[in-house]
Amino acid sequence: MAVKKTGEFMIVNRRSKKALQATGLDNGLPVEQAAAAGTDAQLWTAVETVGGVKLFNKATGKVLDVMQGGTENGTWAQTWEDVDGESQLWTIENVTATYKKLIHVKSGKALDIVDMSEEDGAPAQIWESVEGEGQQWKLAAAQTAKKAPAKKVEAPKKAETKAAPKAEKAPEKKVEKALKAEPQKALKKAEAQEKTLVKKEAPKAAAKPAASKATK
């Protein structure tokens, strides 16, 4: 059969709203839940193969597996290199249009979170299939970081220029009085100068000659 591979997605738990992620590059490390961030450790690709699908982790290149090939309730999930084992096969069953169950083929049990925890770091496990939201998962498209909108650069505001205060006009009555007063002052000044000049230049009156006695 032809191998079909999906695009990358996150596996997000309906109850906790957290994403399934790998915890390291080595074989046998547990798989846990953490706040959905779209990191490589939280990105998976489903590859269809005979008997089910394999879920490959982007960060590790390894597949979703169950520790020691266990089939008991509470057996933890892990990542392990692809060995074509039945313990690495899963089926994806629809619960709603949005949520799925991931059923472990070898055990027939559903992927779950230990103690129905909603905390970061809680490990994934397999458990018999029940109706709880802790066994329901959304295969969410990989998140891409959103660019912050560019800030608009505002043109600097022009400094407000205040109009120079207008020279106050002298009241009309004051102007009129000043105009009338000027000629009178000038006239008085001219008269005073003329009197002074006359006094300086006028010749002193000559003394009358004494009457001469008639000669006999």
Side-chain angles (χ1 to χ4, degrees), residues 69-128:
T71 58
E72 299 299 319
N73 283 342
T75 304
W76 284 15
Q78 66 177 2
T79 49
W80 197 278
E81 62 187 291
D82 182 10
V83 294
D84 285 327
E86 190 180 18
S87 183
Q88 295 180 341
L89 294 179
W90 304 80
T91 59
I92 300 174
E93 297 182 359
N94 290 332
V95 178
T96 69
T98 302
Y99 293 97
K100 323 286 182 186
K101 279 193 175 186
L102 301 180
I103 304 298
H104 185 235
V105 170
K106 184 176 180 179
S107 65
K109 293 181 166 60
L111 187 68
D112 197 346
I113 294 295
V114 170
D115 295 331
M116 297 182 291
S117 174
E118 297 181 6
E119 299 298 320
D120 285 357
Q125 64 179 2
I126 54 171
W127 198 271
E128 62 185 284

Side-chain angles (χ1 to χ4, degrees), residues 6-53:
T6 66
E8 295 171 350
F9 54 85
M10 292 189 298
I11 303 174
V12 180
N13 187 268
R14 185 173 186 176
R15 180 184 179 85
S16 68
K17 306 297 187 293
K18 298 187 186 298
L20 202 66
Q21 70 177 15
T23 57
L25 299 176
D26 294 333
N27 284 332
L29 294 177
V31 175
E32 65 183 18
Q33 69 176 5
T39 60
D40 286 356
Q42 293 181 353
L43 295 180
W44 303 81
T45 301
V47 177
E48 288 188 18
T49 186
V50 177
V53 298

